[in-house]
Amino acid sequence: ARGMQQSLPPYEVLPTEVNMEDLSRSTTVLMEEPPRPPRDHLVWSLFTTLYGNFCCLGLLAFVFSVKSRDRKVLGDYSGALSYGSTAKCLNITALVFNILIVVIVVTVIALVASGVINSAHPPHYGPT
């Protein structure tokens, strides 16, 4: 059992000219902030899934967000960061596609309403 104990460093006696009252009695404690957990974008992915699920990008973003949250709970911040950034990219891609689709649909409806696109009366080919 004695061999298992770690030996203490040797004790050094202070010289007689050193007075304990003259030595400083301060202690410095350094506190580190824990790293901020990465974002998982779960709410954004949920709304993308429900309201703009172009080519299932919203559903895929939601899956990556859930994986990111799982990694974050387990303490794997690098894995959570990777899954979270993938979910963010998928959400941005789905958002851009949804904006383009809305702009195209509004443009086509405006052109049909103004009469530029004459879809109500197709051209008549043949004898009259």
Side-chain angles (χ1 to χ4, degrees):
R2 284 191 72 107
M4 294 272 207
Q5 293 179 353
Q6 293 181 355
S7 63
L8 295 174
Y11 177 73
E12 296 180 16
V13 179
L14 286 175
T16 56
E17 61 269 0
V18 176
N19 187 2
M20 286 297 292
E21 304 300 325
D22 296 338
L23 296 176
S24 65
R25 295 181 185 196
S26 64
T27 303
T28 304
V29 178
L30 298 176
M31 301 287 292
E32 280 189 25
E33 274 190 43
R36 282 186 25 207
R39 299 186 62 175
D40 53 16
H41 308 288
L42 187 67
V43 175
W44 187 12
S45 298
L46 179 66
F47 283 119
T48 303
T49 301
L50 295 176
Y51 296 114
N53 201 8
F54 179 76
C55 292
C56 294
L57 289 177
L59 182 63
L60 197 58
F62 185 72
V63 168
F64 276 99
S65 294
V66 170
K67 285 183 174 192
S68 175
R69 178 152 299 182
D70 290 344
R71 292 281 103 195
K72 185 168 52 172
V73 167
L74 292 175
D76 179 16
Y77 288 151
S78 64
L81 183 65
S82 174
Y83 284 129
S85 64
T86 303
K88 181 180 177 181
C89 289
L90 289 170
N91 281 324
I92 290 171
T93 304
L95 180 67
V96 167
F97 278 137
N98 288 330
I99 290 172
L100 287 175
I101 289 172
V102 168
V103 166
I104 290 171
V105 168
V106 167
T107 304
V108 167
I109 289 174
L111 291 175
V112 166
S114 67
V116 173
I117 299 176
N118 195 0
S119 64
H121 304 288
H124 182 28
Y125 300 108
T128 54

